[in-house]
Amino acid sequence: MDSRRLSRTVIDPKVRQVGFFTPCDPPPARSLSVPADTGASAIVPTDMSSSPPLTDIYITNNSFSPVRIPPPRQASAEGLHSLGRAAGSTTSVFAHGVLSPHCWEGVQMPIGSYNLSEFTQGKSSMLSPSSSLDDLDFSEEDATSACLIGSASGKEAAAFPRSSGEVMMAIKSGANAPAKSALTTASVVKALPEVSEKDGGTSIEKQNEGIAARSKQKTTKAERRAIQEGQRAAKAAAKDAGKGAKSTFASSGGALAIAKQTKSAILPSQKKDGSAVVSERRFDRNPDKDGKKDVPQSSMQFDDKIRVEKAKKRAVVGHFEARNRVELFRHLPQYEHGPQLPCLESKFFHLDHIHPSVYKVGLQYLTGTTSGGNARCKEMLLAFQEAVMDYSTPPEKTPARDLMSKISSYVSFLIACRPLSISMGNAIRFLKNRIAKLDHNMSESEAKSNLLSDIDRFVNEKIIVADKVIVHHAVTKIRDGDVLLIYGHSTVVEMILLQAHELGKQFRIVVVDSRPKFEGKALLRKLVMKGLSCTYTHLNAISYVMHEVTRVFLGASSILSNGTVYSRVGTACVAMVSHTFRVPVLICCEAYKFNERVLLDSICSNELGDPDVISKVHGRNGLNDLENWSDHENLQLLNLFYDATPSDYVSMIVTEHGMVSAIQS
Amino acid sequence: MDFQVVVMAGGYSKNLAPLVSEEMPKPLLPVANRPVLSYVLELLEASNLKDLIVVVEGEDVALRVGGWISGAYVDRLHVEVAAVPEEVGTAGALRAVAHHLTAKDILVVSGDLVSDVPPGAVAATHRRLDAAVTALLCITPVSGPSESVSSVGKDKGRKLPRANIVGLDHTRQYLLHVAAGAEVGKDIKIQKSILQANGQMEIRADLMDAHMYAFQRTILQEVLDQKEMFHSIKHDVFPYLVRTQLRSEISDKGAPKNGLNGADYSLNGSDPASEILTNRTHKCCAYIANKSKYCSRLNSIQAFCDINRDVVGEAGHLSGYSFSAQNNIVHPSAELGSKTTVGPQCMLNEGSKLGDKCSVKRSVIGRHCRIGSNVKIFNSVVMNHVTIEDGCFIQGSVICNNAQLQERVVLKDCQVGAGYVLTVGSEYKSEPLSKK
């Protein structure tokens, strides 16, 4: 991993390059897209060594392009295209479980600086928390979480012979053992029980043969068949291997620590090689077809005209595109917020296929009556629960499939009302998984009651009980005489503060708030009513109040596999200031909000709010300089909802599985 | 969407005395040559509401209305017509059809509503806020229909005496106070408890209750069962629900506040705390229609004239007709004499004949009318089969079916009942004229 360390010293990862730039000196081995489309990540080394010229083509083709870091699902779909997504996670997990950690580290050795296989593998191990969510088996889950609570890095310790602190060392030392690399990777493919060697072998052969010819991404017929077979076999394999292998690695805490390592590798590469990123982009037309069905909007790029047109056709809710769209955020949906609600309201009786309770929740999202990650997720699940309750299978249809399509249509309706949060995506994936796993022989009422109790348990265990456990953990971090800084309005943080107050701890609170929502005011009112001593200030005064603060408690919308905290806009600022002042930052986040995605900035994935609200100043109606701002062509207003806090600024993450101290690298 | 619709079509309204008759009950009064009920039915149809219950007063009215609906809406709507005895009021009518109501929410619409506000918007607001009752409120047009019959004609200059008083919370979603125009004296009495609970109340007099309510069925039926004295939805049931939203005793000692000049007041109470809203037992909400939407009720003769004028004029999209280049609607089979002019915002229906040198402005003329020469018709509504002889002058009047106006009749702001004959040269001003 010398190259990785090197790049890190050359370019400080904290400096983020954003927008348009030229990749100055494209190293040849970077463009992982080549193996990515061909198939298993396992064959990366072979491929790379055989086809360096090809990579150059891509690099030269796309030198001036915006950075776009693909959402990891896509990446994995590309990288492990031939194996399918499910198999993708299993492959690497399997490798970790069975082989020694060295093989993982070894894999990347011959390749050079950064490559996708490392990325995917690192990520797919990250993927495990959510894949455990996927086929959430409660008993299993409990077992893993119990193991987790025992030691923050218990999971890691299970997978790696070393303790978490030494992982870095292990990676470094892995660099000195290049001999293992090629062999061990190949064995990953072979180690898979049902992906037959023949399939793997043929695809490798095919790739080797066809590489020169295949400058475009067209696969031959035989290849496609091989790929399909591979996918089918891999799915079967995933089912068998899934339970054992995944559960061993299903750890959010462990994942996080690894995320740190991976991130440091990804960061410099992202900066250097726009071209690798770009060439990946070329593929997302074809290979992510199956991925996009899953959660279409998350990977939807709104600057992709063809897809936007298609999406418009099947849209339930009419959207009016904003006139002054912010260029940098064109890939995100930017709509006029004014006419959305009346349009939806007037269509009330036309949307007969949407269950009333789902419709109600959608409207509440749209109007902002329901906001906040937990509340939105809970409301959505409860609405789905009602929908399931009222569901009856039409004749000649299997309940599992029909219900699945119903839920999908509900989800797309909800997305039309407001983009889903990452945690909601997790919950939906969980629900769909449960539906898919319904036994076909089960009677309808039985299946329904199963689903209802599943949803109930999810809400209970993942949200309600999880919050209680988090409060229980986090309260231990509050000591007498502390001055706590909180930002925005996180329900968990509120519960923590109230609990600590009930326990009789003596502390002060600094509530930091920001425009345009002023969510802190509601929180402040609740705290003051309970008799806590508070200071209220706005975000712009944060460096003044930070002097006296001893701890910072923040909520999160999601925590990503590279340790990035995705949260209410302004959180990053708070975290950075407190980092500078050496004040510990504690992030409180339920484990169901963890996601395998990797985000490096808050640009490629975000949500844009109504730009009008930032043009108005609350309580000062006289300030109307921006009244008709949309008439000015050169003026665009941007109201971001989220930002990404790099893990470097987070001292500790509190989940219901325990507290994980983020490693400062 | 689990909604049922009840249309309160009414019967022979006393307010519309000379206009309604045995043959022409209120639901069938023509507005731009279509029964007024059709506007509601088509509004509902446009919202994909096809199962309707239409409640009318009186058996014979039910027969007529039912006959018309089955003819006009066969294969388009599934309408059940229920007849209730006269004078049971809207609440009584609802009680009568209560056993047909099964859905979670009930949308009650007045049959005399002429509007383009989507009912879905009211229903959606109702659902979103999880309300017990949601009412559609419209901004009263400045020179629009008033509640009182007396304001026809001569007292136009006077300020409209009666207005609804509506109290809203600061988000303008929750209804805190309602008082119908007739009940309002010099003072408004506001419940202290509601004011305290909300901290702030916005009192408005420029909003009109459009008689479109979404009720939660269980609550509605409970109220109807318990309060047998309740006669009208608007005057009894709805205010009752608003009054008892905190389930507190109705106190008459509420601080009286003076003044209702159509302006907005903001009464500042203790603290603008929105969270306190959660402790109410049921929520009463309002959907305030956009200013650009048309909304009015045909509940007076003045309103009848206004709506007729508006539907062929500024709210022309409601009529469903296409306007000519002169901004009027002239049926191709209508015959016009020489030098006869039909101005903008006019409607001339099939088979009507106008003689020479006539002038028609801002008026609606029905089917098969025979109008002689040198007749002036301004701001009026002439229904079907009316004969108007030479030299008549008609302004601001309504002339019903089969009426006959002999030569040189002058009418100003009159209502001529069906089949009435006005003799040669008679002059009337502001009078209802009908067979005794």
Side-chain angles (χ1 to χ4, degrees), chain A residues 63-77:
Chain A
S63 47
F64 287 88
S65 302
V67 187
R68 178 179 164 276
I69 300 102
R73 172 158 310 118
Q74 256 164 283
S76 77

Side-chain angles (χ1 to χ4, degrees), chain A residues 635-658:
Chain A
L635 177 64
Q636 292 116 21
L637 298 191
L638 179 66
N639 180 12
L640 283 179
F641 274 11
Y642 297 104
D643 65 11
T645 311
S647 55
D648 310 64
Y649 305 115
V650 177
S651 338
M652 182 173 274
I653 292 171
V654 187
T655 75
E656 68 260 38
H657 299 317

Side-chain angles (χ1 to χ4, degrees), chain B residues 382-427:
Chain B
V382 179
M383 293 188 196
N384 302 335
H385 303 285
V386 174
T387 310
I388 300 172
E389 292 178 11
D390 297 353
C392 287
F393 181 85
I394 300 159
Q395 190 184 20
S397 302
V398 182
I399 299 163
C400 292
N401 287 348
N402 302 319
Q404 195 182 350
L405 274 67
Q406 290 173 352
E407 288 176 27
R408 295 189 308 283
V409 170
V410 177
L411 289 180
K412 274 188 182 170
D413 305 318
C414 292
Q415 297 87 42
V416 181
Y420 196 77
V421 181
L422 289 170
T423 51
V424 179
S426 49
E427 280 190 35

Side-chain angles (χ1 to χ4, degrees), chain A residues 134-297:
Chain A
D134 274 340
D135 34 358
L136 186 82
D137 198 333
F138 282 92
S139 58
E140 264 175 33
E141 177 75 4
D142 287 348
T144 42
S145 56
C147 151
L148 236 176
I149 292 167
S151 73
S153 57
K155 201 49 33 112
E156 237 174 308
F160 299 87
R162 284 149 237 256
S163 75
S164 62
E166 283 171 273
V167 173
M168 276 264 285
M169 292 301 295
I171 291 171
K172 278 177 213 156
S173 64
N176 302 326
K180 284 176 183 171
S181 55
L183 267 172
T184 41
T185 26
S187 73
V188 174
V189 177
K190 279 169 190 168
L192 265 176
E194 255 141 302
V195 176
S196 63
E197 277 135 276
K198 198 182 81 188
D199 284 342
T202 45
S203 63
I204 292 173
E205 276 167 26
K206 286 269 158 58
Q207 282 149 13
N208 289 343
E209 285 164 17
I211 275 164
R214 221 181 342 93
S215 58
K216 296 268 152 140
Q217 286 345 100
K218 281 172 190 164
T219 48
T220 67
K221 212 177 190 180
E223 259 179 303
R224 263 179 270 139
R225 198 170 54 218
I227 286 165
Q228 269 189 348
E229 274 169 10
Q231 280 175 337
R232 223 171 289 145
K235 261 182 197 167
K239 263 189 185 172
D240 293 355
K243 279 183 185 164
K246 274 176 197 165
S247 63
T248 54
F249 221 76
S251 128
S252 42
L256 214 101
I258 302 165
K260 284 267 175 189
Q261 320 298 333
T262 342
K263 197 196 96 200
S264 59
I266 297 160
L267 250 150
S269 66
Q270 177 251 332
K271 259 174 257 140
K272 282 187 298 177
D273 60 358
S275 62
V277 167
V278 167
S279 49
E280 275 160 18
R281 183 186 208 164
R282 300 182 119 217
F283 307 126
D284 53 21
R285 293 278 144 73
N286 303 325
D288 70 347
K289 259 181 194 156
D290 39 7
K292 129 186 141 187
K293 268 177 205 157
D294 204 309
V295 183
Q297 249 65 2

Side-chain angles (χ1 to χ4, degrees), chain A residues 341-342 345-346 348-352 354-356 359-360 363-364 367 369 522 525-526 529, chain B residues 1-3 46-49 107 118-121 123-125 127-128 130 271-272 275 287:
Chain A
L341 179 66
E345 277 182 337
S346 58
F348 181 71
F349 292 108
H350 293 278
L351 297 167
D352 267 337
I354 306 288
H355 191 272
Y359 186 90
K360 179 177 152 189
L363 275 184
Q364 287 176 342
T367 52
T369 327
R525 178 172 293 127
K526 284 182 194 170
M529 269 157 75
Chain B
M1 276 294 176
D2 214 9
F3 256 92
S47 296
N48 203 24
L49 286 166
L107 192 69
T125 309
R127 276 285 161 79
R128 174 164 59 86
D130 212 5
D271 180 39
E275 303 98 74
Y287 175 80

